[in-house]
Amino acid sequence: MRYGEKVAVDDLDLVVDRNTITAVLGPNGAGKTTTLETCEGYRKAQQGSVSVLGLDPQRQRRDLLPRIGVMLQDGGAWSGVRAMEMLRHISRLHADPLDVDVLGERLGLGDCGRTPYRRLSGGQQQRLKLAMTIVGRPELVFVDEPTAGMDPAGRRTTWELLEQLRTDGVTVVLTTHHMDEAERLADRIHIIDRGRMIASGTPLELTRGGSSTIRLVVTKPFPDGAPESLRQALGHHLEVTTISDVSLLITGPADSTTLATVSGWCEQQGVLPESLNLGQRTLEDTFLEITGRELS
Amino acid sequence: MNQPTGTFTPRPGAAPLARQVLAQASMESRLMLRNGEQLLLAVVIPVIVLIGAVTAADHLDLGLSHRPIDEFTPGVLALAVMSTAFTSLAIATGFERRYGVIKRLGSSPLPRSGLLLGKVGALLLVELLQIAIISAVALTLDWQPHASLLAALLAIVLGTAAFAALGLFVAGVMRAEATLALANLVYLLLLAGGAVVLPASAYGGFGTVAKLLPSGALGNALRHALWSGGYAWSSMLVLLVWAAVGAVLTARTFTWE
């Protein structure tokens, strides 16, 4: 799929392979929803072209809609409608829907089936919306922040469901600002920020094969030339990135010896570490390196 | 609770349009009837107006051309149509926009025409129920219509089209709360001064204007149909014009959100 929409989404180029889970990851306001809604035919791309299942989502919308499932971020149900009644209604718009009761049970809607939508918890509303998205047996689903407002058990249920969808041959495109969600689920991740794609790849590629990182935060600003001097102290197999005047990110094959070196270097520079963390490199680190900002 | 592999194997497709429209109409009518305030507007107020007007006419000389129950029943039926096709529809649609229901249905297989047909179907279902109840009350009060059912049906269909088009226009351009307030206000104003229950002749000089309002036109058309079995063609034309104006305005201005 290709897009191009100005301001909110600028010059975004991305392709989704069938039968995969693709995560569009980015902070709030990055343009994730705009991107999805352009694919769903709600918005017209002002520049560029969009093709979904080989169709133009604007001009061939009627052909496209029965084949896709859409989960919107906000709303989507009458306030007075009962949970299972809503699901049953959506199922009746489709030719060959899933068994509504089985699906409701699977998503834990059995207990609240007769509860009006407005009285459902946030997590129950999300699960109902997800059920509405897949009840028509789509080929491709767009799910916008599927686990927002869910408790950990709800998130797990949702993840397992999305994985089973892929196994059964459904293509999944989801947005999230949770990097753990993207890392756990996605075959490919596209990180977008301020409407632009800043990184793209498999989770392994984006975290560079699970190499290590060290995050250093000190109590007062580093002296001039600190990153360079640390780089020399560590040797050139490690990368040093400046995050702010009190924090640095060290990437590469780091171990406990590296930690000792960093700690010794701090003493020599006359700065006091506030925190010094060694960990697996995560998508959070990738985002931080590229934008200099935290993801969430 | 995992299902066997293959449960979700894609088998996409839209249901036949007629089935979708039926599902939408049944869903919307159920929601309308479930809503207490709307039921009040749909049935309780018209019945109170009918009984109130008949009781008042027994004590006051209003110079009516027919027996009070025969005089007022057609207008009360018109009032019931107006409450559902205009006020209830506008409020329901306003909140559907607010809650993203219309947007969500916009990505379902249900086309816009299907959504509209579903709404019309729901309106007609609710109106049928209203007419049954109001007619039953009127008949127990010894209502003796000299009716042409076809003329009455035509008036109701045209009146529904006119009010529904206007109701959708209001709901499509205003916020839900503003729609709620305006739709109720217009209902009250037309009830009092719109020549629905009382014929336009009862309004003196304003009567000529009131006849051109959708409320006055629907009231007049139903009175003709139920008093003498006549077709009030000029009133039906007025309703048709309002329906066309409302439809054009709605088509030009309606937004999903």
Side-chain angles (χ1 to χ4, degrees):
Chain A
M1 271 165 266
R2 290 155 150 268
Y3 328 87
E5 186 163 56
K6 276 218 155 174
V7 191
V9 176
D10 192 10
D11 217 10
L12 199 64
D13 246 318
L14 71 88
V15 175
V16 171
D17 294 324
R18 290 211 184 199
N19 247 332
T20 59
I21 298 181
T22 297
V24 178
L25 177 72
N28 291 329
K32 303 189 293 293
T33 298
T34 306
T35 301
L36 246 56
E37 291 192 348
T38 309
C39 296
E40 295 154 2
Y42 282 116
R43 297 160 189 271
K44 193 168 159 46
Q46 285 151 334
Q47 283 179 7
S49 65
V50 190
S51 167
V52 180
L53 300 173
L55 299 170
D56 181 322
Q58 285 266 321
R59 281 181 300 152
Q60 294 166 297
R61 192 145 194 250
R62 291 257 58 89
D63 297 326
L64 177 65
L65 289 179
R67 297 172 62 188
I68 66 172
V70 171
M71 178 172 171
L72 300 173
Q73 206 172 339
D74 298 311
W78 288 280
S79 76
V81 74
R82 298 185 180 112
M84 288 304 285
E85 183 181 35
M86 186 72 212
L87 183 57
R88 192 157 283 119
H89 177 56
I90 297 293
S91 81
R92 286 190 177 138
L93 305 177
H94 293 272
D96 200 2
L98 295 171
D99 184 312
V100 167
D101 294 313
V102 174
L103 180 61
E105 201 61 45
R106 164 83 187 251
L107 280 164
L109 298 169
D111 300 335
C112 58
R114 292 188 58 79
T115 308
Y117 184 76
R118 64 169 174 279
R119 294 218 195 93
L120 297 175
S121 72
Q124 287 169 333
Q125 290 186 350
Q126 288 291 97
R127 279 179 277 144
L128 172 60
K129 283 159 65 180
L130 186 62
M132 286 158 56
T133 306
I134 61 174
V135 73
R137 297 185 184 241
E139 290 166 61
L140 165 66
V141 296
F142 292 104
V143 283
D144 201 354
E145 302 274 355
T147 58
M150 280 191 187
D151 59 20
R155 292 183 82 195
R156 253 193 321 278
T157 309
T158 303
W159 289 347
E160 282 163 13
L161 182 72
L162 293 174
E163 281 167 341
Q164 198 187 338
L165 286 174
R166 173 181 52 192
T167 309
D168 286 353
V170 182
T171 308
V172 179
V173 179
L174 67 100
T175 67
T176 182
H177 59 265
H178 297 297
M179 51 173 188
D180 57 335
E181 189 160 288
E183 233 175 311
R184 147 91 196 249
L185 280 179
D187 300 297
R188 281 197 85 79
I189 299 171
H190 302 284
I191 305 182
I192 66 173
D193 183 43
R194 295 174 183 168
R196 286 177 176 279
M197 175 115 65
I198 56 173
S200 191
T202 65
L204 211 62
E205 282 165 10
L206 288 175
T207 56
R208 283 193 218 137
S211 66
S212 312
T213 57
I214 294 173
R215 281 218 224 183
L216 169 65
V217 181
V218 295
T219 52
K220 60 176 191 188
F222 294 111
D224 287 346
E228 192 43 46
S229 112
L230 180 58
R231 200 167 289 129
Q232 277 170 14
L234 289 167
H236 287 283
H237 58 297
L238 291 162
E239 277 176 44
V240 179
T241 313
T242 306
I243 304 301
S244 72
D245 60 355
V246 292
S247 95
L248 291 171
L249 186 69
I250 300 143
T251 318
D255 54 22
S256 52
T257 322
T258 324
L259 274 182
T261 314
V262 173
S263 149
W265 173 82
C266 284
E267 201 176 328
Q268 176 205 330
Q269 294 283 318
V271 291
L272 189 64
E274 189 178 276
S275 75
L276 182 57
N277 291 319
L278 171 65
Q280 288 292 298
R281 197 181 132 90
T282 63
L283 286 172
E284 177 75 34
D285 298 316
T286 307
F287 188 81
L288 196 60
E289 267 176 34
I290 299 171
T291 66
R293 283 177 293 118
E294 304 272 346
L295 183 57
S296 42
Chain B
M1 279 269 54
N2 281 10
Q3 276 99 26
T5 303
T7 307
F8 301 113
T9 303
R11 226 181 283 166
L17 184 63
R19 226 166 72 199
Q20 294 190 53
V21 169
L22 204 65
Q24 187 67 23
S26 105
M27 184 79 236
E28 292 208 18
S29 53
R30 257 178 294 151
L31 288 167
M32 264 193 202
L33 295 174
R34 192 174 299 167
N35 190 322
E37 303 95 83
Q38 295 204 14
L39 217 55
L40 188 77
L41 210 65
V43 177
V44 180
I45 291 178
V47 168
I48 290 174
V49 168
L50 180 64
I51 294 172
V54 170
T55 313
D58 285 343
H59 295 95
L60 302 165
D61 181 16
L62 297 173
L64 303 175
S65 56
H66 296 75
R67 297 160 57 234
I69 187 67
D70 295 338
E71 176 84 25
F72 294 125
T73 303
V76 168
L77 290 172
L79 178 70
V81 168
M82 180 173 101
S83 76
T84 298
F86 180 73
T87 310
S88 293
L89 178 70
I91 294 171
T93 308
F95 281 97
E96 282 174 354
R97 279 176 76 229
R98 148 78 72 80
Y99 293 129
V101 176
I102 295 191
K103 182 174 179 179
R104 176 62 184 75
L105 291 174
S107 67
S108 80
L110 182 71
R112 281 189 209 207
S113 58
L115 179 64
L116 202 64
L117 284 173
K119 283 188 177 298
V120 170
L123 291 181
L124 294 178
L125 267 169
V126 173
E127 285 175 4
L128 204 65
L129 204 68
Q130 291 176 287
I131 291 168
I133 293 172
I134 293 165
S135 299
V137 172
L139 288 170
T140 61
L141 296 175
D142 195 27
W143 177 38
Q144 293 167 3
H146 301 280
S148 155
L149 274 184
L150 197 64
L153 199 67
L154 190 61
I156 287 171
V157 167
L158 286 172
T160 301
F163 278 114
L166 295 169
L168 287 177
F169 169 58
V170 170
V173 291
M174 299 178 85
R175 284 185 311 114
E177 289 79 4
T179 300
L180 178 77
L182 186 72
N184 280 317
L185 182 68
V186 168
Y187 173 81
L188 286 176
L189 288 177
L190 290 182
L191 168 60
V196 196
V197 180
L198 288 173
S201 56
Y203 290 86
F206 182 67
T208 40
V209 179
K211 265 184 166 170
L212 297 177
L213 294 173
S215 51
L218 177 59
N220 192 48
L222 273 176
R223 274 185 284 275
H224 268 76
L226 298 176
W227 281 350
S228 60
Y231 291 77
W233 293 115
S234 60
S235 292
M236 299 215 191
L237 183 68
V238 169
L239 290 174
L240 200 63
V241 170
W242 278 108
V245 169
V248 169
L249 286 173
T250 303
R252 295 217 168 159
T253 56
F254 198 91
T255 53
W256 296 97
E257 294 173 85

